[in-house]
Every structure is written in C-alpha cells, then in structure tokens.
Amino acid sequence: MSRVAPERPLRVVVAGAAGRLGSIAVHAVEAAEDLVLVGLLVRGDVPRADLAEGGADVLLDVSLAEATRVHAPMAARAGVCPVIGTSGLVEADIVALREACRAGGVAGLLVPNFSIGAVLQMRFAREAARWLPCTGLHEVHHAGKRDSPSGTARATADAIAAAAGGAPPITSERREEALAEQRVRFAGPFETLTLEHVVNDRAAYLPGLLLALRSVQRLPVGLSVGLDAVLDASL
C-alpha cells in the first residue's frame, strides 16, 4: 500500500490551477476542512523537484498533457501521490507514470472523468453490452476540448469491448454551448436502450475529484485508472 499520512489535513498542490476545472478545484480544496492548499502551478510555472519537502501529500494535476508529462512523474518520484485528470495522455505517458509511482513508493490515480454519473454510465454500459449489441457512442464537448474522442468515450468503449469482445463506433461533436454529453445506444430485436449522461456545470466533477484526493493514498502502490478504483471503497 502507499504511505498514508497521519491524521491531519491532507496537503494538496494543484497543477492547472488557472484552468476551467483547476480554478473551481482550488476553491473546493480551500473550502474543505480536511484539505489544505499548499501550492499552485499555472501555465508557464516550472515544477519543483522538492514537492514532498515542500509539504505536499497529493498533486492534483488538471493541466495540459505536455505539462502533466513533467509534473506528475516528478511528484510521484518525490513521494507525492498524483491524481491526474488531464486529457490527451497516451499509452507511453501512462507507462511512465506507473513506473514513477512505483519508484516513489506511492499510489497514483488517473481519472478520465471525475463525474460520478459518468462512472455509473460506464458501469451500466459494460453490463448492457453483455446482453445487447452496442450500435454506437456519441460524445459532445465544448469547442476547446483538445482530444477527440474524449478520454471518457475511449474508456467507455474499452469497457464495452471488454464485455462484448468488440468496441463500438464513436462519433465526436464539438460545439460552443456544450459542456459534456455522452450517449451510448444498444439495440436488440424489437428494442433499444440508450444511456445518456449530461453535465450542465463543472461543479458536477467536484464530489468525485474530492473523493479521489481523499482516497488515493489508500490505493496500492502504482497507478490505478478510473474513479471506480475509489468509488466502491468509499461506500
């Protein structure tokens, strides 16, 4: 297991603190009695190799992929648990993060989507795929979303493929007024099933984000993927 801090407020550094999710995460951490904000990294900041010496327990990284490739492994090797919500990471990044967590003797958590509703949709889709063919997945995000398909869409498709043996087709849409939407459609003889999840405000991500911060130190050393890793343990 990863090292667990004594009973005191959990010390958090936020990378990507000026971003859409990072800015509200900062306020949520500051408002939580059991968390304390000890550092911020915004675009252009140079990460320090002494994060642990600076008093951090957890790095919340919701920055950009090119920054996360530097911030998160450095934190892990310094003994700070990374919780990563960055989009656009590739398999080589995940391998490097996993190795850094093992080298630092800490647990890390990579979260494609902090929304508890999105995690439940993935679970339901995995179960549905055992019984009905999935005819497609359609995801919609705001125009500034860099990756397409989204990490959530890819994770959902992977869950369906694991249950049914084949990944469904994914279509992606980007539009200014959207935040995050995903619809997964299944069809059998004479029936259809549609699983729909819509986020109307980024505040929807905060319960899952705070749960991840509070739970990551209790995970096994290495890198876990998905909010599922901590969701059941909190019940």
Side-chain angles (χ1 to χ4, degrees):
M1 298 291 287
S2 176
R3 63 184 178 90
V4 177
E7 290 298 324
R8 54 164 172 74
L10 192 70
R11 298 169 297 194
V12 180
V13 172
V14 178
R20 295 182 181 95
L21 180 57
S23 58
I24 64 170
V26 166
H27 292 303
V29 170
E30 290 178 325
E33 293 183 357
D34 58 337
L35 306 175
V36 58
L37 187 67
V38 297
L40 302 174
L41 290 171
V42 298
R43 184 178 297 187
D45 281 353
V46 178
R48 304 192 319 271
D50 63 343
L51 281 169
E53 293 178 12
D57 299 308
V58 179
L59 170 71
L60 172 64
D61 195 332
V62 287
S63 59
L64 301 175
E66 53 266 31
T68 297
R69 293 182 183 112
V70 179
H71 297 156
M74 181 180 292
R77 286 191 294 268
V80 178
C81 294
V83 173
I84 304 156
T86 306
S87 296
L89 298 178
V90 298
E91 185 60 31
D93 300 323
I94 296 172
V95 170
L97 284 166
R98 185 172 287 115
E99 291 174 351
C101 288
R102 289 173 178 164
V106 298
L109 182 61
L110 176 62
V111 184
N113 196 316
F114 285 109
S115 162
I116 292 174
V119 174
L120 293 175
Q121 186 193 47
M122 289 183 219
R123 287 188 179 186
F124 300 155
R126 183 166 53 240
E127 176 65 17
R130 296 176 56 215
W131 303 99
L132 296 171
C134 182
T135 58
L137 187 160
H138 182 68
E139 58 99 357
V140 183
H141 279 84
H142 56 87
K145 180 76 170 173
R146 291 195 170 196
D147 53 330
S148 181
S150 69
T152 301
R154 291 194 299 270
T156 305
D158 289 345
I160 292 169
I170 301 174
T171 57
S172 298
E173 182 181 351
R174 300 289 176 263
R175 61 174 188 257
E176 290 293 342
E177 71 277 11
L179 188 50
E181 304 173 15
Q182 181 166 279
R183 295 166 185 85
V184 190
R185 188 173 184 273
F186 300 85
F190 313 112
E191 64 177 338
T192 61
L193 170 65
T194 301
L195 302 177
E196 180 180 46
H197 179 249
V198 179
V199 173
N200 298 309
D201 190 292
R202 286 187 176 84
Y205 301 124
L206 293 179
L209 185 151
L210 293 173
L211 174 63
L213 294 178
R214 290 166 173 145
S215 305
V216 63
Q217 289 185 316
R218 295 195 292 271
L219 295 175
V221 169
L223 185 70
S224 299
V225 179
L227 201 60
D228 263 328
V230 297
L231 199 58
D232 288 336
S234 69
L235 296 177

